[in-house]
Amino acid sequence: MSAGDRSLAVEPAFALSDLRPQGGERAILVDLDIGVPREADEREEFVLLACAAGAEVLGILGGTRSLPDSRYFIGAGKADELKTLVAATGAELAIFNHPLSPAQERNLERLLQCRVLDRAGLILDIFAQRARSFEGKLQVELAQLRHLSTRLVRGWTHLERQKGGIGLRGPGETQLETDRRLLAARMAVLERRLARIERQRAQGRRARVKAELPLVSLVGYTNAGKSTLFNRLTQAGVLEADQLFATLDPTVRRLELPGGRPALLADTVGFISQLPHELIAAFRATLEETRNAALLVHVIDAGAANRARQIADVERVLGELGSQQPRLEVFNKIDRLEDASPRLERDAEGRAVRVWISAHTGAGIELLQEALSEYVSGEQLIESFRLGVEEGRARAWLYRHARVIEERLLPEGGWELSCEIARSECGRFRAIRG
């Protein structure tokens, strides 16, 4: 740690006013239909999120609005109803299943005289509780500070400029400005530490490339069963729990496949709808494993009430990360369905695209291993690559890992190579080129 890091190692003292409502676990949940009605599973997921954070749910306030209210989000009448409910139940916290602006949070806290938390803040709190590794804790803290930096206005009276008086007049510095300065300094320290960790992670990726071990990443909605499947395939012994965000820290283990070459299997953090952008940014280094994988195994809860929405949410986050690798869909938890049986589905070209399994019972695992072996061992493709004159190493890599059918020089310089290459190697090559 540098001297600059040591000087900022102490947590910044964001001294929120004593007049502001203090924390607690007894909560009222607020979930309105804004514009379009919510699905039942979305409401259930919100309750599960609150419980995962440790909240004691005292009541749920619903309603319908065409548009959010600029002052209270839920409107003045509904806000008064919420105030009455908070007072009657003795709630210490109001949790909204919606994104709130800093001004809306401040106005609601003044009205309700209790803490107010939006969906992003709730998810950040869960991540803070579950992070175990050093890197995970740094990532969560950075995400929290980025979220807090937009909400310093909630600090109320202590953020106002100093009052005048004999010996007190002068420009001074507002508490708000002080807090922002401390926040920016702490975030800079965290970003430097995470950058060092990312450089170490990049070295590990380069070592895997040299060892010619393709990487397979498990991705999916939270609580889809990724960790259970990871343990079933690798006997890694990572935490398994029937709860949202049971595990956060990524794990990579060697994967032995029958009749095929070995690979590496990575278990990544689960996704969720309306995942805070602060978390996506902070966990970008961890989620880079999805961009460098030869194959993404999308684990799906086959019995989820709205699995189509969950699939779309996962694909949306993968799109934000720039992941374009081949996908293998794995429909998990078929033991909870009445008529489902293990099966392997292929497309018109005979390529494995979907596997139905139960990671809990082991049903269909051999079919999944067969599909993974096909991807890893090498379904052969005919691909054409255009390389610039500065990509000599990439050209040499293709000659080592593929069969070059034809090579021709380009008029502007560089080469165009037509190659027969394994699908997995094709994904690795694109990841190496970036």
Side-chain angles (χ1 to χ4, degrees), residues 16-46:
L16 294 180
S17 171
D18 292 336
L19 297 176
R20 190 176 174 196
Q22 299 304 302
E25 309 297 331
R26 294 161 54 82
I28 298 294
L29 307 186
V30 182
D31 188 9
L32 271 62
D33 293 328
I34 304 295
V36 295
R38 286 187 184 274
E39 299 288 344
D41 69 302
E42 293 181 273
R43 298 190 187 281
E44 180 182 355
E45 180 182 271
F46 178 43

Side-chain angles (χ1 to χ4, degrees), residues 262-280:
L264 294 175
L265 186 65
D267 184 18
T268 60
V269 63
F271 301 152
I272 198 170
S273 61
Q274 301 177 50
L275 190 66
H277 291 290
E278 296 89 351
L279 272 178
I280 295 177

Side-chain angles (χ1 to χ4, degrees), residues 145-160:
L145 293 183
R146 283 174 174 163
H147 186 68
L148 178 61
S149 66
T150 65
R151 279 158 164 72
L152 290 179
V153 67
R154 292 189 308 155
W156 299 10
T157 55
H158 86 292
L159 300 181
E160 296 175 359

Side-chain angles (χ1 to χ4, degrees), residues 309-339:
R309 176 182 61 82
Q310 295 184 359
I311 293 172
D313 288 333
V314 172
E315 290 296 337
R316 187 178 303 112
V317 176
L318 290 175
E320 290 184 32
L321 295 169
S323 298
Q324 299 178 345
Q325 287 84 351
R327 308 277 205 274
L328 175 64
E329 292 185 340
V330 175
F331 285 80
N332 188 27
K333 303 186 182 182
I334 63 172
D335 54 302
R336 300 184 180 183
L337 303 178
E338 293 182 1
D339 301 325

Side-chain angles (χ1 to χ4, degrees), residues 205 215-220 266 268-269 271 280 283-298 311-328 426-428 430-432 434:
R205 283 197 289 265
L215 177 67
V216 177
S217 284
L218 298 178
V219 298
T268 60
V269 63
F271 301 152
I280 295 177
F283 278 76
R284 185 170 294 274
T286 300
L287 295 173
E288 281 292 312
E289 297 293 357
T290 65
R291 292 189 60 190
N292 293 279
L295 173 68
L296 297 183
V297 176
H298 185 174
I311 293 172
D313 288 333
V314 172
E315 290 296 337
R316 187 178 303 112
V317 176
L318 290 175
E320 290 184 32
L321 295 169
S323 298
Q324 299 178 345
Q325 287 84 351
R327 308 277 205 274
L328 175 64
C426 187
R428 288 180 62 211
R430 288 198 171 97
I432 290 169

Side-chain angles (χ1 to χ4, degrees), residues 110-148:
R110 282 176 171 168
L111 176 68
L112 305 176
Q113 290 299 300
C114 74
R115 288 272 178 175
V116 173
L117 199 64
D118 67 356
R119 182 181 176 88
L122 175 62
I123 296 175
L124 286 169
D125 184 83
I126 296 172
F127 271 58
Q129 295 180 45
R130 303 281 169 78
R132 293 291 179 268
S133 69
F134 177 68
E135 180 185 9
K137 291 176 181 179
L138 290 181
Q139 289 170 327
V140 171
E141 183 184 354
L142 179 59
Q144 287 180 314
L145 293 183
R146 283 174 174 163
H147 186 68
L148 178 61

